[in-house]
């Protein structure tokens, strides 16, 4: 996943609910156990850690798609807490970032989601962006965001089953 936008920096702008969408390969999930296998995934979490040095907050939505482009599951599920990355703080006068916003989000996957993840072919990611306090800000070429997405799973293997 390597998104890019080309602009001359520094740039001065504001954004309220701007969106960015991309699709990434999710075929690596096809190695997960399938429903009925001798091995079951009994619990799973997605862990999103970040250091946001951009004056932009993000609300992320993940749509796990099968090989025909049909939705298998979404994160978050409707009604769940949004996956929200906080914007870095900005100076009131210069409008440049002053403090990086670190954070970590842990998203528990339910049994139905765990049963279906092995069918994933791609993941559609949509991000809604808002500038800090939805006010005009400036971005420099040194401003950046680092995002790490990992997973934690508990697996049970049935030995000697028929």
């Amino acid at each position: 996943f390597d998104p890019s936008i080309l602009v001359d920096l520094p740039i001065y702008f504001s954004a309220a609910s701007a969106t960015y969408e991309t699709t990434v390969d999710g075929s690596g999930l096809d190695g997960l156990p399938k429903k009925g296998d001798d091995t079951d995934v009994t619990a799973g979490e997605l862990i999103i850690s970040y250091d946001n040095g951009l004056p932009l907050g993000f609300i992320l939505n993940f749509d796990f798609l099968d090989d025909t482009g049909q939705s298998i599951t979404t994160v978050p599920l409707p009604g769940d807490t949004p996956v929200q990355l906080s914007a870095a703080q900005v100076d009131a006068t210069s409008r440049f970032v002053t403090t990086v916003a670190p954070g970590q989000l842990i998203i528990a996957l339910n049994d139905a989601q765990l049963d279906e993840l092995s069918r994933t072919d791609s993941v559609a990611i949509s991000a809604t962006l808002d500038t800090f306090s939805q006010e005009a800000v400036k971005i420099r070429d040194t401003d950046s965001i680092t995002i790490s997405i990992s997973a934690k799973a508990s697996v049970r293997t049935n030995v000697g089953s028929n």
Side-chain angles (χ1 to χ4, degrees):
F1 170 57
D2 189 18
S4 64
I5 299 173
L6 301 174
V7 293
D8 291 326
L9 297 175
I11 186 171
Y12 187 69
F13 72 102
S14 66
S17 299
T19 58
Y20 177 81
E21 296 180 356
T22 190
T23 301
V24 297
D25 181 30
S27 62
L29 297 174
D30 64 1
L32 291 173
K34 296 169 182 51
K35 193 170 188 169
D37 285 354
D38 287 340
T39 302
D40 297 320
V41 179
T42 59
E45 296 175 334
L46 291 178
I47 302 155
I48 301 173
S49 301
Y50 66 93
D51 286 311
N52 190 358
L54 299 174
L56 299 168
F58 300 86
I59 297 175
L60 301 175
N61 290 292
F62 302 89
D63 194 0
F64 294 80
L65 307 173
D66 66 15
D67 59 358
T68 66
Q70 296 299 308
S71 181
I72 298 168
T73 189
T74 61
V75 171
L77 289 168
D80 283 356
T81 303
V83 177
Q84 188 165 357
L85 284 63
S86 299
Q89 292 186 355
V90 300
D91 180 80
T93 304
S94 72
R95 306 309 298 161
F96 285 119
V97 168
T98 57
T99 307
V100 171
Q104 183 177 66
L105 306 166
I106 299 174
I107 303 153
L109 301 175
N110 67 32
D111 289 341
Q113 289 173 308
L114 294 171
D115 287 345
E116 298 296 330
L117 281 182
S118 65
R119 295 179 38 225
T120 301
D121 183 68
S122 60
V123 181
I125 303 169
S126 65
T128 303
L129 292 72
D130 291 304
T131 52
F132 179 79
S133 298
Q134 294 187 343
E135 297 175 356
V137 296
K138 294 180 182 176
I139 294 180
R140 298 173 284 211
D141 62 354
T142 56
D143 294 341
S144 66
I145 184 170
T146 303
I147 300 174
S148 168
I149 300 176
S150 59
K152 180 179 175 183
S154 296
V155 179
R156 178 182 57 220
T157 301
N158 300 317
V159 179
S161 63
N162 294 333

